[in-house]
Amino acid sequence: MNKLKKKYDLGPGKMRNGRPIPEKKWSVRFNQEVTFDTNVTLQADDNTTSAVDKESLILETGIFTKFTAVHKRLFFIKPELKITNTEHTERDVSDVYQNDSLTLAPSVRSTHEHMMFGRPANGIFDIEYNNTRRDYNKVKKKEYYNGYFTFTAGEKFDYWEKSSTTLKLKYKVLDSYTETLDSTTVTLNAVQTFKFPKRTLLLATLNADLTSVENDTNSTNAYLVRGDYIMTERFWFTRAQASLSITATDTKKQSATRGTEILYNPSLKGVKDLNWLLKGLEGHVEYGFTKNTSDSASNEYTKHAYSFNFEYTF
């Protein structure tokens, strides 16, 4: 029996495929983020409206909690709950503060731990719900905006020693405050992770969102390519990250006027441990640039976002 345990790495504290079981089963994370957004309303570049009518500080307060359960050392089952409240400090421009929101997002994420290509792998099965209240009537009161379920199935495996591959299929059903915006989305997602020396990672992501809206004039197909380069213990930061994503959106029935829209989104992010101040505390700084191009001038816009965030986990 001891030989079998050694051969299959079935020691205490491990799943049957050898993956460690975390000692900490329950975690809670609080975060407070402050963002300066230069174009909250996504106004077109050719719009002559004053900048003060579209920019704002954004205050986002959130709490996230997760519990990890283990079943027969074959399954991880993780109930989660995330609550996020978003407020805009610009209270005189209704097109800005209509984006105030409160989101409740419970989920159950589970993995089946097994072996593939001689290495630990996991099957992914997730169920997520998201309920968002928003001030879409511009009356400084959050009301039901939409709710949706997302069902995910996938697989994460290591075909090569220093890389991992994650493949996911998602199906999303959205109920909007107005029936014309009800929709379903099928998502195909692939992420390839490459591990390099000196604790650096490169993530390459391909994603396709195929969305059918009740009013099919708004149906779209969006195709994303993204790269993330992540470094640890660099430039004073505990973790530094540079990202670039490009999204091409087929506007389908609006293509005669909008064509295929291209969204460019580079960003830089730094994370610093602040354990000297409080154990479990992190500080985040981030800059993001967004540029959308379209055949329709009214859909072309540019924005900058500067963020600072505190996260406390225990």
Side-chain angles (χ1 to χ4, degrees), residues 60-85:
E60 182 178 292
T61 306
I63 181 172
F64 171 82
T65 183
K66 175 177 69 174
F67 179 78
T68 301
V70 177
H71 180 65
K72 295 184 177 180
R73 292 197 296 152
L74 276 175
F75 297 93
F76 281 120
I77 303 170
K78 303 175 183 179
E80 299 177 353
L81 176 63
K82 184 176 182 180
I83 302 173
T84 306
N85 185 68

Side-chain angles (χ1 to χ4, degrees), residues 197-260:
K198 298 182 179 179
R199 292 177 291 183
T200 59
L201 294 174
L202 175 64
L203 277 65
T205 301
L206 297 175
N207 192 89
D209 289 326
L210 313 177
T211 301
S212 298
V213 183
E214 186 69 24
N215 178 358
D216 61 357
T217 302
N218 296 315
S219 295
T220 60
N221 291 336
Y223 307 96
L224 174 143
V225 178
R226 178 181 173 115
D228 295 88
Y229 188 64
I230 303 171
M231 301 165 284
T232 57
E233 303 298 339
R234 302 289 179 88
F235 315 116
W236 185 78
F237 292 107
T238 308
R239 185 172 71 254
Q241 180 174 339
S243 305
L244 172 63
S245 66
I246 301 174
T247 304
T249 300
D250 177 4
T251 56
K252 301 180 78 170
K253 288 197 173 183
Q254 297 186 52
S255 61
T257 55
R258 295 172 59 185
T260 298

Side-chain angles (χ1 to χ4, degrees), residues 5 7 10 33 78 90 96 100 108 129 136 139-140 168 179 182 188 203 211 239 242 245 272:
K5 287 184 177 180
K7 179 179 179 180
L10 297 181
E33 181 173 278
K78 303 175 183 179
E90 174 54 74
V96 171
D100 290 354
V108 178
Y129 178 68
Y136 63 91
V139 293
K140 297 184 179 180
K168 291 182 180 179
E179 289 185 1
D182 291 352
L188 304 173
L203 277 65
T211 301
R239 185 172 71 254
S245 66
K272 180 67 174 178

Side-chain angles (χ1 to χ4, degrees), residues 133-171:
R133 301 178 67 85
R134 184 173 163 182
D135 186 17
Y136 63 91
N137 280 321
K138 307 179 183 180
V139 293
K140 297 184 179 180
K141 177 183 177 182
K142 302 182 183 79
E143 302 173 274
Y144 176 80
Y145 186 66
N146 63 39
Y148 60 81
F149 280 97
T150 303
F151 305 91
T152 301
E155 183 74 26
K156 182 177 181 181
F157 57 91
D158 299 347
Y159 184 78
W160 298 283
E161 183 179 356
K162 294 186 177 181
S163 71
S164 66
T165 303
T166 304
L167 304 174
K168 291 182 180 179
L169 172 65
K170 301 181 182 182
Y171 183 70

